[in-house]
Amino acid sequence: MSAEFQSLEILVDNQAADGLMAEHGLSVLIKAGGKSVLFDAGQKDALEQNTKALGVNLTKIDAFALSHGHYDHTGAVDFVLQENPEVSVYAHPKIFSRRFSIYPNKDAKEISMPAEERLVVANLLDSQLHWVREPTQILKGVWMTGPIPRFQPLEDTGGPFFTDADGRDPDPIEDDMAMWIETEKGLLVVCGCCHSGLTNTLDHIVAVSGRKRIWGIVGGLHLKNASEQRLGITVNMLRVYEPEFIVPCHCTGGAAIAYFKDHLNTEIQPGYAGYRLEPNAVF
Ligand SMILES: [Fe+2]
Ligand SMILES: [Fe+2]
């Protein structure tokens, strides 16, 4: 059953249109069938600043979904729940995991969901907090993937991610989820960081949605550390699914965006806070 897709608006991204705040993070507002869902909350201040600048009223949203428990997607959870204390929240329980990035010769950096945001979510009533452990329709025609199986051996989480500060326990980021929206033109796929890998994510969405046609892909694709071999298989898979457009943003990485432009006929339009997609968009 298709939702009547109305719009997608990037509220927080590493890049921003004039007059908006850029921040390493992501937040996207999707409207479909007269309802709306906020996907992620950015790192901290950009969501509040940009919603004010754009005239977006978070008190009206119907659902609030979290792609995974990294600080740059969950830092303004408290702000969203202050604006809209009764909004339905969707996430995987592993969003609460402690996690670290550890680059060679650098100290471990904690990249967990901030403690105060974890507390706000943990204190929600069961009737408001929906743990997503499988593909779940959160609004008519708007779905969260649930955890994404990792079948493609060339895809990894995209960084030196661990669940401990000593770097002994790799973090599979199993809470990573994407979203898809059923539209008349095909599926619109929205990724947070895509730590499961883009081919794994698209394969999963096509398998569980029962739909083969992908209209477009928007979001962070976390390919900044990807090998040319991995970029190659990603491009091969994109040629199979033939999305009309890709709006890579946040953590995708400039080299991956350039590779896509060089190797695909698909329209590649890098995203930014203030980017807006409507159903009649032509690519
Ligand atoms: Fe991210
Ligand atoms: Fe992430």
Side-chain angles (χ1 to χ4, degrees), residues 211-246:
R211 299 192 179 206
K212 291 195 176 71
R213 178 95 194 88
I214 293 175
W215 180 37
I217 301 163
V218 178
L221 305 180
H222 215 95
L223 292 165
K224 59 189 173 186
N225 300 316
S227 64
E228 185 150 352
Q229 195 180 10
R230 177 175 174 183
L231 292 175
I233 60 109
T234 304
V235 158
N236 287 342
M237 178 274 304
L238 289 167
R239 289 192 186 120
V240 172
Y241 286 126
E242 294 185 301
E244 287 182 35
F245 64 94
I246 302 173

PDB file of all heavy atoms in Angstrom, residues 211-246:
ATOM      1  N   ARG A 211       9.310  -5.249  -3.190  1.00  0.00           N
ATOM      2  CA  ARG A 211       9.306  -4.308  -4.332  1.00  0.00           C
ATOM      3  C   ARG A 211      10.728  -4.172  -4.877  1.00  0.00           C
ATOM      4  O   ARG A 211      11.675  -4.043  -4.116  1.00  0.00           O
ATOM      5  CB  ARG A 211       8.811  -2.944  -3.885  1.00  0.00           C
ATOM      6  CG  ARG A 211       7.399  -2.999  -3.361  1.00  0.00           C
ATOM      7  CD  ARG A 211       6.870  -1.623  -3.204  1.00  0.00           C
ATOM      8  NE  ARG A 211       5.499  -1.692  -2.727  1.00  0.00           N
ATOM      9  CZ  ARG A 211       4.598  -0.754  -2.950  1.00  0.00           C
ATOM     10  NH1 ARG A 211       4.939   0.319  -3.633  1.00  0.00           N
ATOM     11  NH2 ARG A 211       3.389  -0.885  -2.485  1.00  0.00           N
ATOM     12  N   LYS A 212      10.843  -4.166  -6.192  1.00  0.00           N
ATOM     13  CA  LYS A 212      12.177  -4.107  -6.800  1.00  0.00           C
ATOM     14  C   LYS A 212      12.576  -2.692  -7.213  1.00  0.00           C
ATOM     15  O   LYS A 212      13.748  -2.378  -7.339  1.00  0.00           O
ATOM     16  CB  LYS A 212      12.213  -4.997  -8.052  1.00  0.00           C
ATOM     17  CG  LYS A 212      12.136  -6.482  -7.747  1.00  0.00           C
ATOM     18  CD  LYS A 212      12.553  -7.289  -8.967  1.00  0.00           C
ATOM     19  CE  LYS A 212      12.591  -8.772  -8.678  1.00  0.00           C
ATOM     20  NZ  LYS A 212      11.276  -9.357  -8.516  1.00  0.00           N
ATOM     21  N   ARG A 213      11.595  -1.860  -7.456  1.00  0.00           N
ATOM     22  CA  ARG A 213      11.897  -0.539  -8.023  1.00  0.00           C
ATOM     23  C   ARG A 213      12.329   0.422  -6.925  1.00  0.00           C
ATOM     24  O   ARG A 213      11.589   0.649  -5.961  1.00  0.00           O
ATOM     25  CB  ARG A 213      10.651  -0.029  -8.730  1.00  0.00           C
ATOM     26  CG  ARG A 213      10.758   1.336  -9.327  1.00  0.00           C
ATOM     27  CD  ARG A 213      11.144   1.295 -10.811  1.00  0.00           C
ATOM     28  NE  ARG A 213      11.561   2.627 -11.239  1.00  0.00           N
ATOM     29  CZ  ARG A 213      12.818   3.059 -11.139  1.00  0.00           C
ATOM     30  NH1 ARG A 213      13.776   2.297 -10.664  1.00  0.00           N
ATOM     31  NH2 ARG A 213      13.128   4.268 -11.540  1.00  0.00           N
ATOM     32  N   ILE A 214      13.539   0.984  -7.067  1.00  0.00           N
ATOM     33  CA  ILE A 214      14.019   1.987  -6.107  1.00  0.00           C
ATOM     34  C   ILE A 214      14.064   3.338  -6.800  1.00  0.00           C
ATOM     35  O   ILE A 214      14.760   3.511  -7.802  1.00  0.00           O
ATOM     36  CB  ILE A 214      15.403   1.590  -5.551  1.00  0.00           C
ATOM     37  CG1 ILE A 214      15.241   0.322  -4.689  1.00  0.00           C
ATOM     38  CG2 ILE A 214      16.004   2.722  -4.732  1.00  0.00           C
ATOM     39  CD1 ILE A 214      16.533  -0.248  -4.187  1.00  0.00           C
ATOM     40  N   TRP A 215      13.284   4.266  -6.287  1.00  0.00           N
ATOM     41  CA  TRP A 215      13.231   5.607  -6.896  1.00  0.00           C
ATOM     42  C   TRP A 215      14.514   6.364  -6.586  1.00  0.00           C
ATOM     43  O   TRP A 215      15.154   6.927  -7.482  1.00  0.00           O
ATOM     44  CB  TRP A 215      12.002   6.360  -6.360  1.00  0.00           C
ATOM     45  CG  TRP A 215      11.847   7.741  -6.915  1.00  0.00           C
ATOM     46  CD1 TRP A 215      12.127   8.152  -8.195  1.00  0.00           C
ATOM     47  CD2 TRP A 215      11.385   8.902  -6.210  1.00  0.00           C
ATOM     48  NE1 TRP A 215      11.845   9.502  -8.330  1.00  0.00           N
ATOM     49  CE2 TRP A 215      11.398   9.984  -7.131  1.00  0.00           C
ATOM     50  CE3 TRP A 215      10.946   9.130  -4.897  1.00  0.00           C
ATOM     51  CZ2 TRP A 215      10.993  11.267  -6.762  1.00  0.00           C
ATOM     52  CZ3 TRP A 215      10.534  10.416  -4.534  1.00  0.00           C
ATOM     53  CH2 TRP A 215      10.565  11.471  -5.464  1.00  0.00           C
ATOM     54  N   GLY A 216      14.890   6.409  -5.311  1.00  0.00           N
ATOM     55  CA  GLY A 216      16.082   7.168  -4.954  1.00  0.00           C
ATOM     56  C   GLY A 216      16.603   6.797  -3.582  1.00  0.00           C
ATOM     57  O   GLY A 216      15.951   6.064  -2.818  1.00  0.00           O
ATOM     58  N   ILE A 217      17.802   7.285  -3.291  1.00  0.00           N
ATOM     59  CA  ILE A 217      18.493   6.999  -2.028  1.00  0.00           C
ATOM     60  C   ILE A 217      18.981   8.323  -1.458  1.00  0.00           C
ATOM     61  O   ILE A 217      19.610   9.116  -2.165  1.00  0.00           O
ATOM     62  CB  ILE A 217      19.709   6.071  -2.267  1.00  0.00           C
ATOM     63  CG1 ILE A 217      19.261   4.753  -2.910  1.00  0.00           C
ATOM     64  CG2 ILE A 217      20.460   5.819  -0.965  1.00  0.00           C
ATOM     65  CD1 ILE A 217      20.405   3.965  -3.535  1.00  0.00           C
ATOM     66  N   VAL A 218      18.696   8.564  -0.181  1.00  0.00           N
ATOM     67  CA  VAL A 218      19.115   9.797   0.483  1.00  0.00           C
ATOM     68  C   VAL A 218      19.793   9.424   1.800  1.00  0.00           C
ATOM     69  O   VAL A 218      19.282   8.560   2.522  1.00  0.00           O
ATOM     70  CB  VAL A 218      17.894  10.699   0.785  1.00  0.00           C
ATOM     71  CG1 VAL A 218      18.336  11.971   1.522  1.00  0.00           C
ATOM     72  CG2 VAL A 218      17.131  11.059  -0.488  1.00  0.00           C
ATOM     73  N   GLY A 219      20.902  10.072   2.115  1.00  0.00           N
ATOM     74  CA  GLY A 219      21.434   9.904   3.465  1.00  0.00           C
ATOM     75  C   GLY A 219      22.930   9.678   3.529  1.00  0.00           C
ATOM     76  O   GLY A 219      23.649   9.761   2.535  1.00  0.00           O
ATOM     77  N   GLY A 220      23.386   9.373   4.737  1.00  0.00           N
ATOM     78  CA  GLY A 220      24.790   9.078   4.968  1.00  0.00           C
ATOM     79  C   GLY A 220      25.085   7.655   4.538  1.00  0.00           C
ATOM     80  O   GLY A 220      24.399   6.724   4.944  1.00  0.00           O
ATOM     81  N   LEU A 221      26.114   7.475   3.719  1.00  0.00           N
ATOM     82  CA  LEU A 221      26.428   6.144   3.180  1.00  0.00           C
ATOM     83  C   LEU A 221      27.749   5.598   3.712  1.00  0.00           C
ATOM     84  O   LEU A 221      28.142   4.492   3.368  1.00  0.00           O
ATOM     85  CB  LEU A 221      26.437   6.187   1.644  1.00  0.00           C
ATOM     86  CG  LEU A 221      25.140   6.721   1.018  1.00  0.00           C
ATOM     87  CD1 LEU A 221      25.240   6.719  -0.509  1.00  0.00           C
ATOM     88  CD2 LEU A 221      23.919   5.916   1.461  1.00  0.00           C
ATOM     89  N   HIS A 222      28.418   6.342   4.512  1.00  0.00           N
ATOM     90  CA  HIS A 222      29.644   5.958   5.212  1.00  0.00           C
ATOM     91  C   HIS A 222      30.629   5.171   4.347  1.00  0.00           C
ATOM     92  O   HIS A 222      30.995   4.036   4.652  1.00  0.00           O
ATOM     93  CB  HIS A 222      29.333   5.174   6.494  1.00  0.00           C
ATOM     94  CG  HIS A 222      30.333   5.494   7.573  1.00  0.00           C
ATOM     95  ND1 HIS A 222      30.119   6.443   8.533  1.00  0.00           N
ATOM     96  CD2 HIS A 222      31.574   5.029   7.793  1.00  0.00           C
ATOM     97  CE1 HIS A 222      31.175   6.542   9.311  1.00  0.00           C
ATOM     98  NE2 HIS A 222      32.082   5.694   8.878  1.00  0.00           N
ATOM     99  N   LEU A 223      31.027   5.809   3.278  1.00  0.00           N
ATOM    100  CA  LEU A 223      31.979   5.172   2.358  1.00  0.00           C
ATOM    101  C   LEU A 223      33.321   5.895   2.358  1.00  0.00           C
ATOM    102  O   LEU A 223      34.145   5.674   1.472  1.00  0.00           O
ATOM    103  CB  LEU A 223      31.382   5.145   0.945  1.00  0.00           C
ATOM    104  CG  LEU A 223      30.174   4.208   0.784  1.00  0.00           C
ATOM    105  CD1 LEU A 223      29.441   4.505  -0.510  1.00  0.00           C
ATOM    106  CD2 LEU A 223      30.611   2.754   0.839  1.00  0.00           C
ATOM    107  N   LYS A 224      33.552   6.749   3.368  1.00  0.00           N
ATOM    108  CA  LYS A 224      34.764   7.567   3.325  1.00  0.00           C
ATOM    109  C   LYS A 224      36.029   6.735   3.470  1.00  0.00           C
ATOM    110  O   LYS A 224      37.080   7.142   3.036  1.00  0.00           O
ATOM    111  CB  LYS A 224      34.708   8.691   4.363  1.00  0.00           C
ATOM    112  CG  LYS A 224      34.552   8.240   5.772  1.00  0.00           C
ATOM    113  CD  LYS A 224      34.283   9.451   6.674  1.00  0.00           C
ATOM    114  CE  LYS A 224      33.964   8.970   8.081  1.00  0.00           C
ATOM    115  NZ  LYS A 224      33.556  10.039   8.952  1.00  0.00           N
ATOM    116  N   ASN A 225      35.939   5.555   4.097  1.00  0.00           N
ATOM    117  CA  ASN A 225      37.117   4.677   4.214  1.00  0.00           C
ATOM    118  C   ASN A 225      37.044   3.489   3.264  1.00  0.00           C
ATOM    119  O   ASN A 225      37.812   2.534   3.396  1.00  0.00           O
ATOM    120  CB  ASN A 225      37.234   4.157   5.651  1.00  0.00           C
ATOM    121  CG  ASN A 225      37.385   5.286   6.656  1.00  0.00           C
ATOM    122  OD1 ASN A 225      38.147   6.216   6.426  1.00  0.00           O
ATOM    123  ND2 ASN A 225      36.647   5.239   7.750  1.00  0.00           N
ATOM    124  N   ALA A 226      36.103   3.515   2.312  1.00  0.00           N
ATOM    125  CA  ALA A 226      35.872   2.334   1.467  1.00  0.00           C
ATOM    126  C   ALA A 226      36.988   2.150   0.440  1.00  0.00           C
ATOM    127  O   ALA A 226      37.487   3.120  -0.144  1.00  0.00           O
ATOM    128  CB  ALA A 226      34.534   2.473   0.741  1.00  0.00           C
ATOM    129  N   SER A 227      37.369   0.887   0.223  1.00  0.00           N
ATOM    130  CA  SER A 227      38.358   0.564  -0.801  1.00  0.00           C
ATOM    131  C   SER A 227      37.728   0.751  -2.183  1.00  0.00           C
ATOM    132  O   SER A 227      36.497   0.774  -2.333  1.00  0.00           O
ATOM    133  CB  SER A 227      38.792  -0.892  -0.655  1.00  0.00           C
ATOM    134  OG  SER A 227      37.671  -1.748  -0.905  1.00  0.00           O
ATOM    135  N   GLU A 228      38.586   0.842  -3.206  1.00  0.00           N
ATOM    136  CA  GLU A 228      38.051   0.945  -4.567  1.00  0.00           C
ATOM    137  C   GLU A 228      37.260  -0.316  -4.919  1.00  0.00           C
ATOM    138  O   GLU A 228      36.272  -0.258  -5.634  1.00  0.00           O
ATOM    139  CB  GLU A 228      39.180   1.175  -5.563  1.00  0.00           C
ATOM    140  CG  GLU A 228      38.641   1.413  -6.962  1.00  0.00           C
ATOM    141  CD  GLU A 228      39.522   2.310  -7.809  1.00  0.00           C
ATOM    142  OE1 GLU A 228      40.485   2.877  -7.290  1.00  0.00           O
ATOM    143  OE2 GLU A 228      39.217   2.419  -9.010  1.00  0.00           O
ATOM    144  N   GLN A 229      37.709  -1.466  -4.378  1.00  0.00           N
ATOM    145  CA  GLN A 229      36.973  -2.714  -4.634  1.00  0.00           C
ATOM    146  C   GLN A 229      35.553  -2.632  -4.061  1.00  0.00           C
ATOM    147  O   GLN A 229      34.579  -3.020  -4.707  1.00  0.00           O
ATOM    148  CB  GLN A 229      37.735  -3.885  -3.990  1.00  0.00           C
ATOM    149  CG  GLN A 229      37.272  -5.234  -4.485  1.00  0.00           C
ATOM    150  CD  GLN A 229      38.060  -6.366  -3.829  1.00  0.00           C
ATOM    151  OE1 GLN A 229      38.808  -6.148  -2.877  1.00  0.00           O
ATOM    152  NE2 GLN A 229      37.874  -7.561  -4.327  1.00  0.00           N
ATOM    153  N   ARG A 230      35.445  -2.101  -2.855  1.00  0.00           N
ATOM    154  CA  ARG A 230      34.104  -1.963  -2.265  1.00  0.00           C
ATOM    155  C   ARG A 230      33.261  -0.959  -3.051  1.00  0.00           C
ATOM    156  O   ARG A 230      32.074  -1.193  -3.291  1.00  0.00           O
ATOM    157  CB  ARG A 230      34.235  -1.532  -0.794  1.00  0.00           C
ATOM    158  CG  ARG A 230      32.864  -1.318  -0.168  1.00  0.00           C
ATOM    159  CD  ARG A 230      32.923  -1.014   1.310  1.00  0.00           C
ATOM    160  NE  ARG A 230      31.591  -0.678   1.800  1.00  0.00           N
ATOM    161  CZ  ARG A 230      31.326  -0.316   3.042  1.00  0.00           C
ATOM    162  NH1 ARG A 230      32.284  -0.271   3.942  1.00  0.00           N
ATOM    163  NH2 ARG A 230      30.082  -0.003   3.404  1.00  0.00           N
ATOM    164  N   LEU A 231      33.871   0.169  -3.433  1.00  0.00           N
ATOM    165  CA  LEU A 231      33.114   1.137  -4.243  1.00  0.00           C
ATOM    166  C   LEU A 231      32.664   0.483  -5.545  1.00  0.00           C
ATOM    167  O   LEU A 231      31.561   0.739  -6.034  1.00  0.00           O
ATOM    168  CB  LEU A 231      33.974   2.374  -4.529  1.00  0.00           C
ATOM    169  CG  LEU A 231      34.295   3.255  -3.313  1.00  0.00           C
ATOM    170  CD1 LEU A 231      35.248   4.379  -3.721  1.00  0.00           C
ATOM    171  CD2 LEU A 231      33.021   3.834  -2.706  1.00  0.00           C
ATOM    172  N   GLY A 232      33.525  -0.392  -6.099  1.00  0.00           N
ATOM    173  CA  GLY A 232      33.184  -1.072  -7.353  1.00  0.00           C
ATOM    174  C   GLY A 232      31.960  -1.958  -7.217  1.00  0.00           C
ATOM    175  O   GLY A 232      31.060  -1.914  -8.060  1.00  0.00           O
ATOM    176  N   ILE A 233      31.902  -2.748  -6.150  1.00  0.00           N
ATOM    177  CA  ILE A 233      30.726  -3.631  -6.009  1.00  0.00           C
ATOM    178  C   ILE A 233      29.480  -2.810  -5.665  1.00  0.00           C
ATOM    179  O   ILE A 233      28.362  -3.158  -6.039  1.00  0.00           O
ATOM    180  CB  ILE A 233      30.960  -4.784  -4.991  1.00  0.00           C
ATOM    181  CG1 ILE A 233      31.268  -4.268  -3.611  1.00  0.00           C
ATOM    182  CG2 ILE A 233      32.026  -5.729  -5.472  1.00  0.00           C
ATOM    183  CD1 ILE A 233      30.180  -4.481  -2.618  1.00  0.00           C
ATOM    184  N   THR A 234      29.688  -1.686  -5.002  1.00  0.00           N
ATOM    185  CA  THR A 234      28.538  -0.816  -4.687  1.00  0.00           C
ATOM    186  C   THR A 234      27.951  -0.240  -5.980  1.00  0.00           C
ATOM    187  O   THR A 234      26.728  -0.227  -6.174  1.00  0.00           O
ATOM    188  CB  THR A 234      28.986   0.323  -3.742  1.00  0.00           C
ATOM    189  OG1 THR A 234      29.587  -0.252  -2.579  1.00  0.00           O
ATOM    190  CG2 THR A 234      27.805   1.183  -3.330  1.00  0.00           C
ATOM    191  N   VAL A 235      28.831   0.204  -6.851  1.00  0.00           N
ATOM    192  CA  VAL A 235      28.379   0.746  -8.140  1.00  0.00           C
ATOM    193  C   VAL A 235      27.703  -0.346  -8.979  1.00  0.00           C
ATOM    194  O   VAL A 235      26.664  -0.115  -9.614  1.00  0.00           O
ATOM    195  CB  VAL A 235      29.581   1.387  -8.871  1.00  0.00           C
ATOM    196  CG1 VAL A 235      29.347   1.473 -10.354  1.00  0.00           C
ATOM    197  CG2 VAL A 235      29.856   2.764  -8.291  1.00  0.00           C
ATOM    198  N   ASN A 236      28.278  -1.544  -8.967  1.00  0.00           N
ATOM    199  CA  ASN A 236      27.649  -2.642  -9.730  1.00  0.00           C
ATOM    200  C   ASN A 236      26.237  -2.913  -9.236  1.00  0.00           C
ATOM    201  O   ASN A 236      25.309  -3.129 -10.027  1.00  0.00           O
ATOM    202  CB  ASN A 236      28.480  -3.926  -9.604  1.00  0.00           C
ATOM    203  CG  ASN A 236      29.759  -3.846 -10.415  1.00  0.00           C
ATOM    204  OD1 ASN A 236      29.867  -3.014 -11.312  1.00  0.00           O
ATOM    205  ND2 ASN A 236      30.726  -4.685 -10.089  1.00  0.00           N
ATOM    206  N   MET A 237      26.073  -2.904  -7.919  1.00  0.00           N
ATOM    207  CA  MET A 237      24.752  -3.145  -7.350  1.00  0.00           C
ATOM    208  C   MET A 237      23.793  -2.006  -7.708  1.00  0.00           C
ATOM    209  O   MET A 237      22.627  -2.229  -8.033  1.00  0.00           O
ATOM    210  CB  MET A 237      24.897  -3.300  -5.838  1.00  0.00           C
ATOM    211  CG  MET A 237      23.621  -3.509  -5.071  1.00  0.00           C
ATOM    212  SD  MET A 237      22.832  -1.958  -4.634  1.00  0.00           S
ATOM    213  CE  MET A 237      24.125  -1.132  -3.735  1.00  0.00           C
ATOM    214  N   LEU A 238      24.298  -0.765  -7.683  1.00  0.00           N
ATOM    215  CA  LEU A 238      23.435   0.368  -8.028  1.00  0.00           C
ATOM    216  C   LEU A 238      22.997   0.296  -9.488  1.00  0.00           C
ATOM    217  O   LEU A 238      21.884   0.705  -9.829  1.00  0.00           O
ATOM    218  CB  LEU A 238      24.155   1.685  -7.736  1.00  0.00           C
ATOM    219  CG  LEU A 238      24.325   1.996  -6.234  1.00  0.00           C
ATOM    220  CD1 LEU A 238      25.315   3.128  -6.028  1.00  0.00           C
ATOM    221  CD2 LEU A 238      22.967   2.348  -5.608  1.00  0.00           C
ATOM    222  N   ARG A 239      23.850  -0.243 -10.351  1.00  0.00           N
ATOM    223  CA  ARG A 239      23.459  -0.392 -11.764  1.00  0.00           C
ATOM    224  C   ARG A 239      22.317  -1.405 -11.889  1.00  0.00           C
ATOM    225  O   ARG A 239      21.490  -1.305 -12.783  1.00  0.00           O
ATOM    226  CB  ARG A 239      24.654  -0.848 -12.603  1.00  0.00           C
ATOM    227  CG  ARG A 239      25.693   0.230 -12.778  1.00  0.00           C
ATOM    228  CD  ARG A 239      26.719  -0.179 -13.854  1.00  0.00           C
ATOM    229  NE  ARG A 239      27.784   0.799 -13.921  1.00  0.00           N
ATOM    230  CZ  ARG A 239      29.070   0.529 -13.698  1.00  0.00           C
ATOM    231  NH1 ARG A 239      29.453  -0.701 -13.401  1.00  0.00           N
ATOM    232  NH2 ARG A 239      29.974   1.472 -13.777  1.00  0.00           N
ATOM    233  N   VAL A 240      22.294  -2.385 -10.989  1.00  0.00           N
ATOM    234  CA  VAL A 240      21.204  -3.379 -11.012  1.00  0.00           C
ATOM    235  C   VAL A 240      19.904  -2.743 -10.539  1.00  0.00           C
ATOM    236  O   VAL A 240      18.850  -2.894 -11.160  1.00  0.00           O
ATOM    237  CB  VAL A 240      21.564  -4.600 -10.135  1.00  0.00           C
ATOM    238  CG1 VAL A 240      20.369  -5.541  -9.987  1.00  0.00           C
ATOM    239  CG2 VAL A 240      22.759  -5.349 -10.730  1.00  0.00           C
ATOM    240  N   TYR A 241      19.962  -2.001  -9.441  1.00  0.00           N
ATOM    241  CA  TYR A 241      18.723  -1.434  -8.878  1.00  0.00           C
ATOM    242  C   TYR A 241      18.272  -0.159  -9.598  1.00  0.00           C
ATOM    243  O   TYR A 241      17.118   0.238  -9.474  1.00  0.00           O
ATOM    244  CB  TYR A 241      18.890  -1.183  -7.381  1.00  0.00           C
ATOM    245  CG  TYR A 241      18.868  -2.460  -6.564  1.00  0.00           C
ATOM    246  CD1 TYR A 241      19.895  -2.777  -5.687  1.00  0.00           C
ATOM    247  CD2 TYR A 241      17.819  -3.359  -6.695  1.00  0.00           C
ATOM    248  CE1 TYR A 241      19.876  -3.955  -4.952  1.00  0.00           C
ATOM    249  CE2 TYR A 241      17.793  -4.535  -5.964  1.00  0.00           C
ATOM    250  CZ  TYR A 241      18.819  -4.834  -5.095  1.00  0.00           C
ATOM    251  OH  TYR A 241      18.800  -5.988  -4.375  1.00  0.00           O
ATOM    252  N   GLU A 242      19.190   0.499 -10.276  1.00  0.00           N
ATOM    253  CA  GLU A 242      18.875   1.674 -11.102  1.00  0.00           C
ATOM    254  C   GLU A 242      18.036   2.741 -10.406  1.00  0.00           C
ATOM    255  O   GLU A 242      16.966   3.113 -10.900  1.00  0.00           O
ATOM    256  CB  GLU A 242      18.137   1.228 -12.380  1.00  0.00           C
ATOM    257  CG  GLU A 242      18.989   0.385 -13.301  1.00  0.00           C
ATOM    258  CD  GLU A 242      18.239   0.077 -14.596  1.00  0.00           C
ATOM    259  OE1 GLU A 242      17.155  -0.528 -14.520  1.00  0.00           O
ATOM    260  OE2 GLU A 242      18.745   0.463 -15.661  1.00  0.00           O
ATOM    261  N   PRO A 243      18.466   3.233  -9.248  1.00  0.00           N
ATOM    262  CA  PRO A 243      17.736   4.373  -8.672  1.00  0.00           C
ATOM    263  C   PRO A 243      17.849   5.574  -9.607  1.00  0.00           C
ATOM    264  O   PRO A 243      18.848   5.717 -10.318  1.00  0.00           O
ATOM    265  CB  PRO A 243      18.465   4.637  -7.348  1.00  0.00           C
ATOM    266  CG  PRO A 243      19.839   4.084  -7.556  1.00  0.00           C
ATOM    267  CD  PRO A 243      19.685   2.906  -8.487  1.00  0.00           C
ATOM    268  N   GLU A 244      16.808   6.415  -9.627  1.00  0.00           N
ATOM    269  CA  GLU A 244      16.865   7.603 -10.495  1.00  0.00           C
ATOM    270  C   GLU A 244      17.835   8.640  -9.953  1.00  0.00           C
ATOM    271  O   GLU A 244      18.374   9.446 -10.707  1.00  0.00           O
ATOM    272  CB  GLU A 244      15.469   8.232 -10.620  1.00  0.00           C
ATOM    273  CG  GLU A 244      14.528   7.429 -11.489  1.00  0.00           C
ATOM    274  CD  GLU A 244      13.190   8.103 -11.622  1.00  0.00           C
ATOM    275  OE1 GLU A 244      13.126   9.348 -11.667  1.00  0.00           O
ATOM    276  OE2 GLU A 244      12.187   7.374 -11.669  1.00  0.00           O
ATOM    277  N   PHE A 245      18.013   8.648  -8.624  1.00  0.00           N
ATOM    278  CA  PHE A 245      18.888   9.676  -8.027  1.00  0.00           C
ATOM    279  C   PHE A 245      19.462   9.171  -6.713  1.00  0.00           C
ATOM    280  O   PHE A 245      18.908   8.269  -6.065  1.00  0.00           O
ATOM    281  CB  PHE A 245      18.114  10.973  -7.789  1.00  0.00           C
ATOM    282  CG  PHE A 245      17.011  10.832  -6.783  1.00  0.00           C
ATOM    283  CD1 PHE A 245      17.221  11.134  -5.454  1.00  0.00           C
ATOM    284  CD2 PHE A 245      15.755  10.377  -7.163  1.00  0.00           C
ATOM    285  CE1 PHE A 245      16.219  10.987  -4.514  1.00  0.00           C
ATOM    286  CE2 PHE A 245      14.739  10.234  -6.235  1.00  0.00           C
ATOM    287  CZ  PHE A 245      14.969  10.539  -4.913  1.00  0.00           C
ATOM    288  N   ILE A 246      20.592   9.750  -6.330  1.00  0.00           N
ATOM    289  CA  ILE A 246      21.186   9.522  -5.015  1.00  0.00           C
ATOM    290  C   ILE A 246      21.531  10.887  -4.424  1.00  0.00           C
ATOM    291  O   ILE A 246      22.117  11.731  -5.115  1.00  0.00           O
ATOM    292  CB  ILE A 246      22.457   8.647  -5.100  1.00  0.00           C
ATOM    293  CG1 ILE A 246      22.139   7.293  -5.763  1.00  0.00           C
ATOM    294  CG2 ILE A 246      23.053   8.414  -3.715  1.00  0.00           C
ATOM    295  CD1 ILE A 246      23.378   6.440  -6.043  1.00  0.00           C
TER     296      ILE A 246
END
